[in-house]
């Protein structure tokens, strides 16, 4: 708990969130398997989109290993295939070539094992469900009982500070609030891997920093693996253990920057000299990509 | 709203909606007053024109004459209206239930859907009402089933076609999410496709209410029970009792509107989240 959380009600809510849902921490069914297999192993992945209007070489020869508990960010110019890569990992797309292994099995099996919590660029809320019903949906699909669903969903809404809005419908929320509901929903069933596609793009700067701290806190506490797409260099550097810089047409990995800043990251991290050095490193890698 | 997006001091939900109780009556009055005024001045104008220009009563009876018919024939006209509305509503329920059922079945067997839809769309574009004499022949001219079956067929197609659309035109993002939860096709049907189809279905129901009243009355023009509104209208017109015919037409219009509003009310109960209702509620 650092200085940013001086708002008393927020501290109280966070505390209560932990009291309300102890099961989330104890439950082990969705924790990563105790093996040395990487969380995500991508080898030789290419993706070509064929359509009537032509071929798009979205990704070519992607090699990437994400170890258990890592926080990896993907950064690169618009259209370089970040979302596509994330969707391939999540088994929402089939690669044109190459293999993806997740937690020692196929991406497909990992999806059926409910290993993925996904947050998309758009909030994609179900407009016929209230906020809390949206957060409960994955738990409903997974057959959890009503009491547990409500309890967990309320704790998750607490986390994103939307408890007061639980009974509203998505159209009654701002874009940023909808995105926070989507984040709460992705966390609700304790997936071992979080795939987040520019989840904070619609948020104002203060909320954004608070959500970043939230994600880091959850990440540190639960040992989840996170693959995170962003357009923001400071965001990538602040959150990640590694930043993957991608180049466009076809999308390739142009460079990987290790972010060996101290954990846990706090507000002080953002002001450290090393933070700026790392930002410069990422920026230069990106500049090389865009010039080429 | 700024405070709310920052999440520091969320606005209580109550204050988000502009529809405070006190303003509600005023906005309703402001909304419906122009229509009411226009309606009344229309009636007055009608009366004046008929009187001033001495228009023959068999061409256009005066509103006061038509109101006079309600004084004399109220029981007959409303009983006929109720008789016909039972046919319309009975046929509507049959057609709507069948439409929803077939649409749900085709969501299971998409091959059936792809085979069926072109025919459904083609048939829906034909004047089904032309079958009325045939149905009179099949079921017997005074059997209400003859009219109900026409109504059912006319309501069936738009309901079925729209429900199939609603079941398939689902947001890809929502499907991706369900996929990421490892949801079964059955769960996706129940939690995504069916809710998504409800606005489409209610749109078809609303069209269906008007269609069903039209279909019932017009098929009665081809002959039917003496208690039926369509029969009453055509007989009175044949006897040059045009005020009576007009009064019966008014009953038909009124019943049709009530039927429509009943579906709108059910819609706002079942799918309060739907945009078209939301837009009305906010004005
Ligand atoms: N379903 C699809 N069909 C055809 N082409 C596609 C499809 N999805 C993505 N593409 C193409 O693949 C390329 C990569 O798209 P992608 O959405 O992965 O980019 P991105 O890096 O996420 O961009 P942004 O930062 O703007 O979100 C683009 O050129 C896009 O046009
Ligand atoms: Mg993208």
């Amino acid at each position: 708990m650092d200085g940013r959380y001086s708002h008393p009600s927020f501290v109280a809510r966070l505390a209560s969130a932990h009291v309300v849902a102890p099961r989330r921490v104890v439950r082990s069914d969705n924790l990563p398997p105790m093996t040395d297999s990487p969380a995500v192993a991508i080898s030789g992945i290419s993706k070509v989109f064929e359509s009537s209007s032509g071929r798009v070489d979205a990704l070519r020869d992607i090699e990437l290993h994400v170890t258990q508990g890592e926080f990896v960010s993907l950064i690169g110019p618009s259209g370089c295939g970040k979302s596509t890569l994330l969707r391939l990992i999540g088994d929402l797309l089939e690669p044109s070539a190459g293999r993806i292994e997740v937690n020692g099995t196929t991406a497909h099996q990992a999806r059926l094992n409910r290993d993925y919590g996904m947050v998309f660029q758009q909030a994609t809320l179900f407009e016929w469900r209230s906020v809390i019903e949206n957060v409960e949906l994955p738990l409903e699909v997974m057959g959890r009982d009503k009491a547990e669903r409500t309890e967990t969903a309320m704790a998750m809404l607490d986390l994103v500070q939307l408890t007061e809005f639980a009974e509203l419908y998505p159209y009654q929320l701002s874009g940023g609030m909808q995105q926070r509901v989507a984040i709460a929903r992705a966390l609700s069933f304790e997936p071992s891997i979080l795939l987040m596609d520019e989840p904070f793009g619609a948020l104002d700067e203060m909320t954004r920093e608070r959500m970043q701290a939230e994600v880091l806190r959850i990440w540190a506490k639960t040992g989840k693996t996170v693959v995170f797409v962003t357009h923001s260099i400071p965001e990538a550097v602040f959150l990640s253990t590694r930043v993957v810089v991608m180049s466009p047409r076809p999308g390739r990995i142009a460079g990987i920057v290790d972010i060996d800043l101290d954990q846990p990251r706090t507000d002080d991290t953002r002001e450290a000299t090393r933070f700026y050095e790392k930002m410069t490193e990422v920026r230069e890698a990106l500049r090389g990509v865009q010039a080429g | 709203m700024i405070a709310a997006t920052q999440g520091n001091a969320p606005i209580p939900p109550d204050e988000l909606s502009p529809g405070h109780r006190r303003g509600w009556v005023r906005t309703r009055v402001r909304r419906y007053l122009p229509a009411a005024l226009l309606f009344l001045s229309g009636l007055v104008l009608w009366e004046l024109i008929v009187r001033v220009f001495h228009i023959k009563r068999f061409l256009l009876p005066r509103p006061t004459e038509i109101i006079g018919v309600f004084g004399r024939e109220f029981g007959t006209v409303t009983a006929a209206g109720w008789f016909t509305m039972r046919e319309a509503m009975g046929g509507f329920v049959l057609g709507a239930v069948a439409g929803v059922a077939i649409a749900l079945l085709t969501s299971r067997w998409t091959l059936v859907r792809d085979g069926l839809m072109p025919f459904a769309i083609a048939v829906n574009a034909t004047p089904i009402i032309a079958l009325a004499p045939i149905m009179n022949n099949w079921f017997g001219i005074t059997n209400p089933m003859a009219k109900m079956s026409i109504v059912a067929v006319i309501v069936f197609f738009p309901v079925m076609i729209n429900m199939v659309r609603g079941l398939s035109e689902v947001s890809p993002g929502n499907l991706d999410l369900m996929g990421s939860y490892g949801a079964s096709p059955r769960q996706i049907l129940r939690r995504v496709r069916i809710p998504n189809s409800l606005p489409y279905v209610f749109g078809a129901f609303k069209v269906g209410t008007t269609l069903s009243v039209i279909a019932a009355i017009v098929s009665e023009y081809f002959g039917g029970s003496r208690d039926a509104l369509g029969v009453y209208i055509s007989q009175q017109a044949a006897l040059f009792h045009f005020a009576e015919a007009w009064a019966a037409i008014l009953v038909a219009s009124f019943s049709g509107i009530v039927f429509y509003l009943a579906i709108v009310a059910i819609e706002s109960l079942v799918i309060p989240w739907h945009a078209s209702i939301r837009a009305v509620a906010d004005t």
Side-chain angles (χ1 to χ4, degrees), chain A residues 103-288:
Chain A
N103 290 338
T105 171
T106 60
H108 180 72
Q109 190 53 46
R111 178 165 69 78
L112 297 186
N113 293 348
R114 284 132 186 193
D115 280 343
Y116 302 117
M118 298 200 192
V119 182
F120 299 117
Q121 265 173 295
Q122 288 85 28
T124 54
L125 299 183
F126 295 77
E127 60 175 359
W128 51 84
R129 290 180 157 247
S130 67
V131 165
I132 186 157
E133 287 167 348
N134 262 283
V135 179
E136 283 182 29
L137 177 63
L139 302 165
E140 220 176 287
V141 170
M142 295 168 199
R144 309 280 170 77
D145 65 59
K146 178 73 191 148
E148 185 192 343
R149 287 194 324 246
T150 316
E151 192 182 24
T152 311
M154 278 320 275
M156 290 300 130
L157 286 176
D158 236 347
L159 215 57
V160 295
Q161 300 200 352
L162 286 174
T163 40
E164 267 125 306
F165 299 85
E167 301 304 329
L168 293 196
Y169 282 87
Y171 76 89
Q172 296 169 300
L173 305 183
S174 74
M177 291 156 89
Q178 293 186 14
Q179 199 60 8
R180 277 146 65 198
V181 176
I183 293 165
R185 181 175 59 186
L187 293 171
S188 68
F189 59 101
E190 289 282 310
S192 72
I193 299 177
L194 279 176
L195 303 177
M196 306 177 93
D197 196 346
E198 295 182 49
F200 306 149
L203 303 184
D204 66 276
E205 197 56 31
M206 293 314 291
T207 313
R208 195 180 174 116
E209 289 192 1
R210 209 189 63 237
M211 292 306 300
Q212 288 171 359
E214 257 337 301
V215 166
L216 279 186
R217 194 183 60 74
I218 292 161
W219 172 68
K221 196 181 78 187
T222 59
K224 284 183 199 312
T225 308
V226 185
V227 182
F228 192 98
V229 172
T230 178
H231 276 293
S232 157
I233 298 173
E235 181 165 273
V237 172
F238 180 71
L239 293 175
S240 315
T241 52
R242 275 194 299 162
V243 175
V244 175
V245 178
M246 293 178 62
S247 69
R249 248 150 270 152
R252 294 170 202 263
I253 293 179
I256 296 183
V257 182
D258 277 309
I259 311 292
D260 47 2
L261 300 171
D262 290 341
Q263 300 282 2
R265 312 254 166 101
T266 65
D267 267 0
D268 295 337
T269 310
R270 293 184 204 273
E271 278 149 30
T273 325
R274 289 282 293 146
F275 182 70
Y276 284 96
E277 286 170 9
K278 284 297 168 189
M279 290 224 303
T280 310
E281 223 177 296
V282 173
R283 185 173 295 122
E284 273 165 8
L286 267 174
R287 198 168 285 153

Side-chain angles (χ1 to χ4, degrees), chain A residues 90-110:
Chain A
D91 189 45
L92 298 177
L93 283 178
E94 291 274 321
S96 308
R99 270 169 24 121
I100 300 181
E101 270 183 32
V102 177
N103 290 338
T105 171
T106 60
H108 180 72
Q109 190 53 46

